[in-house]
Amino acid sequence: MTVAGGLLIDDPSPVEPDDVVVPLRAATPSSARSRRSLDAASEPVAPRGPGGLTDERTIAAALVAGQRWALAAAFERWADLVHGVARQLVGRDDADDVTQQVYVEAWRSRATFDPERGELPGWLVGITRNLARAHHRRRGPDPTSLVVDEQRDADPDPTIRPERVVDALVVAAAMRDLADAQRAVVELTLLAGMSQSQAAAELAMPLGTVKSHHRRALARLREALGRSRP
Amino acid sequence: MKDRTSPTDRELAELAAQGRRALQDVDDAALERIWANVRAEVDTPSGAAVPAPRRSREPPARQRRSRPASRVPSWMASAVAAAIVLVVGVGLGLALGGDDGPDRPVAIASVALAPLPGADAEPVVAMLREGSGTRTVEVDLSGLPEPDGFHEVWLLAPDVSALVSLGPARPDGVYVIPDGIDLVDLPVVDVSVEPDDGDPTHSGQSVLRGEVTLTG
């Protein structure tokens, strides 16, 4: 199935604005230059597959299939998320051990991951929570509650409570995993405090497209957050 | 069980900003150690190695960059200039040790090729190698079902606006990347089914695709 000689990305899911169908031409070496309209507007971003999700789906499928490189890829992508969450749930001293256990467990239970029901980072956070609970059960309540209470009494600031920081890590990691265009939009609308109109001007993107990216991106962030909460 | 209401846009923004800082707070050296331990626990007795993640700062990578400039191929020099980190051969469990003369092909990166939705294909891993100034993509396509026509290997731009053919499927699985091709621009490895009609353009029927992930 092709469209006017274009390369149709044969994906049954709804077409995102960034799934562009472009005319093909065989490029000679001297003309092999890609144009990335986002480059001018933002700092250089890592090139991604169409839709941006390709990477997570690729890693997920390969992990379930038992391809060992996928565990390395999952570590490269999300070990900082796992470690950050572990640090909030079991403390700095034990975060390294728990992170290690999470990835070993992820490999051993890889066949239980269902790509239809969620994404890898959320699954890894779930494993982290389980292992943190097991860690606390082993250690007994007293040392950990001491840590938690001290933290609460010393810093009444609710923004640094463990569950809040876990939420923040999950949202930031999910933002990092967004498709290029969606990420570029919310970096401006969420992080830089721009209005959608300002973002549209900054990115030289139609306002309607910006609104669509913003809406979808926030939906994905909320979904990631919802799935990772206990 | 969600006992908290869904966050507002503003709350999401605060979480994102805070989370971004928290993610940066992670100790890379600790992650390297952790990964080494994971690998030790997970590797099979037969020694099939789990590749090291890209994040790892293995010493051979530093050795590589400190070689005299004349030994660094121009495409890699430009890649380094763009602050691109590639998986080094040692990290992949290949080319271990100090045997790497400048002329022996070294694995530069691995690319996981995933089947496109609806394509009848299993995922395969392609290797990027460089040796004696020649870069190759190496991928074993013998596991693909017999096509109506032939398979062809391509490098694509991420937005598919440009592409170059590496040629039809070869029994030895080695595809030379022409000089002058910058993998920054064409980082996607694509395998298509091409009809035997003499038309050199891409058929649009891709069966496998994967991208060298470059971190900027």
Side-chain angles (χ1 to χ4, degrees), chain A residues 1-2 7 22 24-25 27 33 35 46-49 68-69 72 76 87 100 159 164 168 172 187 218 222 230, chain B residues 1 7 9 15 18-20 25 37 41-42 44 50-51 54 112 159-161 163 185 202-205 211 214:
Chain A
M1 197 168 43
T2 57
L7 178 66
V22 293
L24 286 185
R25 62 190 185 287
R33 291 274 166 249
R35 280 165 292 285
R48 309 234 174 155
R68 289 166 182 274
W69 69 264
E76 186 250 346
R87 200 157 78 226
Q100 176 185 334
T159 66
R164 157 81 187 204
E187 278 180 353
L218 260 60
R222 288 196 173 96
Chain B
M1 306 301 156
D9 287 15
L15 288 172
Q18 181 180 11
R20 184 172 276 207
D25 207 10
N37 291 339
E41 279 201 62
V42 158
T44 63
V50 184
R54 219 162 277 113
D159 62 3
V160 204
S161 61
L163 67 156
D185 294 328
H202 197 297
S203 65
Q205 302 298 318
E211 183 173 333
L214 313 170

Side-chain angles (χ1 to χ4, degrees), chain A residues 161-189:
Chain A
R161 295 220 178 113
E163 278 305 326
R164 157 81 187 204
V165 183
V166 169
D167 282 353
L169 289 161
V170 165
V171 168
M175 181 178 282
R176 196 171 56 186
D177 284 348
L178 288 174
D180 283 348
Q182 289 180 3
R183 190 174 70 254
V185 166
V186 289
E187 278 180 353
L188 298 181
T189 57

